[in-house]
Amino acid sequence: MSIIDSFRLDGKVALVTGASYGIGFAIASAFADAGAKIAFNDINQELVDKGIAAYKEKGIAAKGYVADVTNEEQIVALVKKIEADLGVIDILVNNAGIIRRTPMLEMEAADWRKVIDIDLTAPFIVSKAVIPGMIKKGGGKIINICSMMSELGRETVSAYAAAKGGLKMLTRNIASEYGSRNIQCNGIGPGYIETPQTAPLRERQADGSRHPFDAFIIAKTPAERWGTTADLVGPAVFLASEASSFVNGHVLYVDGGILAYIGKQPE
Ligand code: NAP
Ligand code: GCO
């Protein structure tokens, strides 16, 4: 196989969770571009229909399904439907996620549990449903969408950071437990990316100036810019392809250098 062909995904079946838009949509679109058949889920039919239309606009015949990633029964049924429609899943991206930005002392336990449920327990549930098929097929790829908060804390995101830190360790554990079955499980740790999830952090102020957090991130990023979903797709295709068959348990940070940088020094 040529080195370029080792990055292809021809004939592979990929499931990307929560991929009607945002990072998941970009990754699934890139997988299709590399030859994969695409399945995605989202939380309601309206979102799934929006996603199907968006994929169609890009010439991608993605299969969309309504399924809540926290609901084990729905996920087991989802995997069966995908196997019937497209075949056994070769590539799983645990992308669906939420964030709650609330000071810890003001955070309700119910909100904490919701974030942990979607951002950490759901990747466990979906991976558990998909791995048996991968084992039968002789191998597979799992990519967990981690975060800067897999490594760093910050005010107001206690539940999210705990979940994404846990997701880094779940990634390493799946790698450890199923590496012998030719399953590689890795993470992608996006930096600060322009999506609906971070829109509140980038809103222009009344006087037209940048949001204080926006300016903060620019000062913390050597690349001096927010990331875009396009920055994530090459690393995702790499981790989904044969080119990464000996990469396992790794979290690939795609952050423009944030984790390497103390921050812009005072002039
Ligand atoms: P997003 O725009 O909020 O999209 C998240 C997707 O997940 C949405 O389609 C959402 O549906 C779906 N979802 C939420 N809960 C779900 C559930 N229970 N079942 C099924 N689908 C569900 O987020 P994003 O910015 O694309 O982020 C995607 C992933 O990257 C997340 O795991 C996030 O933590 C991670 N991440 C994002 C950034 C960033 O800067 N944007 C950086 C690092 C990591 P709804 O529309 O109904 O919410
Ligand atoms: C926040 C942001 C971050 C990003 C991402 C960074 O409020 O700090 O939403 O958490 O979403 O996870 O990698």
Side-chain angles (χ1 to χ4, degrees):
M1 179 188 291
S2 77
I3 185 65
I4 293 299
D5 288 344
S6 70
F7 286 81
R8 297 279 318 160
L9 304 179
D10 298 296
K12 302 290 186 187
V13 176
L15 166 61
V16 184
T17 65
S20 293
Y21 60 90
I23 289 173
F25 177 82
I27 288 177
S29 300
F31 284 1
D33 198 27
K37 290 182 277 184
I38 303 303
F40 74 98
N41 73 299
D42 225 307
I43 193 79
N44 60 50
Q45 192 62 53
E46 187 191 350
L47 268 175
V48 168
D49 292 345
K50 172 186 158 190
I52 290 170
Y55 285 110
K56 195 169 175 203
E57 219 171 279
K58 293 171 71 86
I60 300 168
K63 285 267 187 197
Y65 306 84
V66 177
D68 177 342
V69 289
T70 66
N71 183 313
E72 191 156 20
E73 203 178 310
Q74 288 183 22
I75 293 304
V76 170
L78 169 69
V79 170
K80 286 196 171 72
K81 262 184 260 170
I82 294 169
E83 288 181 352
D85 291 346
L86 296 173
V88 172
I89 294 165
D90 301 284
I91 302 160
L92 166 64
V93 180
N94 285 307
N95 166 76
I98 64 167
I99 192 166
R100 291 289 179 271
R101 300 182 183 97
T102 310
M104 195 178 115
L105 298 186
E106 296 164 30
M107 180 175 274
E108 299 296 333
D111 280 332
W112 165 278
R113 290 194 184 94
K114 186 171 171 70
V115 173
I116 298 292
D117 214 16
I118 294 170
D119 293 6
L120 179 56
T121 306
F124 160 77
I125 287 171
V126 183
S127 301
K128 190 178 154 202
V130 168
I131 286 171
M134 289 181 170
I135 290 174
K136 278 196 208 108
K137 199 166 184 181
K141 295 282 194 174
I142 298 175
I143 300 170
N144 292 321
I145 306 299
C146 297
S147 161
M148 294 288 91
M149 274 59 223
S150 296
E151 301 294 342
L152 303 170
R154 86 170 182 84
E155 301 83 354
T156 77
V157 293
S158 56
Y160 184 83
K164 293 298 187 179
L167 186 56
K168 174 176 73 173
M169 289 315 299
L170 176 61
T171 299
R172 290 179 178 166
N173 215 74
I174 293 172
S176 307
E177 204 160 340
Y178 297 101
S180 63
R181 313 307 293 264
N182 188 33
I183 292 171
Q184 291 89 52
C185 180
N186 293 287
I188 285 178
Y192 279 80
I193 310 295
E194 292 175 347
T195 72
Q197 190 246 48
T198 55
L201 306 174
R202 290 179 280 108
E203 275 162 7
R204 283 282 165 183
Q205 306 301 283
D207 63 3
S209 63
R210 300 184 89 131
H211 187 294
F213 196 91
D214 185 350
F216 169 69
I217 289 302
I218 299 297
K220 289 288 284 179
T221 310
E224 293 189 344
R225 68 173 175 89
W226 283 70
T228 68
T229 57
D231 291 315
L232 299 170
V233 297
V237 168
F238 165 64
L239 289 177
S241 73
E242 284 305 304
S244 61
S245 57
F246 203 54
V247 179
N248 202 15
H250 181 74
V251 177
L252 178 53
Y253 288 100
V254 186
D255 65 354
I258 294 177
L259 286 179
Y261 186 40
I262 195 170
K264 187 165 284 306
Q265 59 193 23
E267 297 288 329

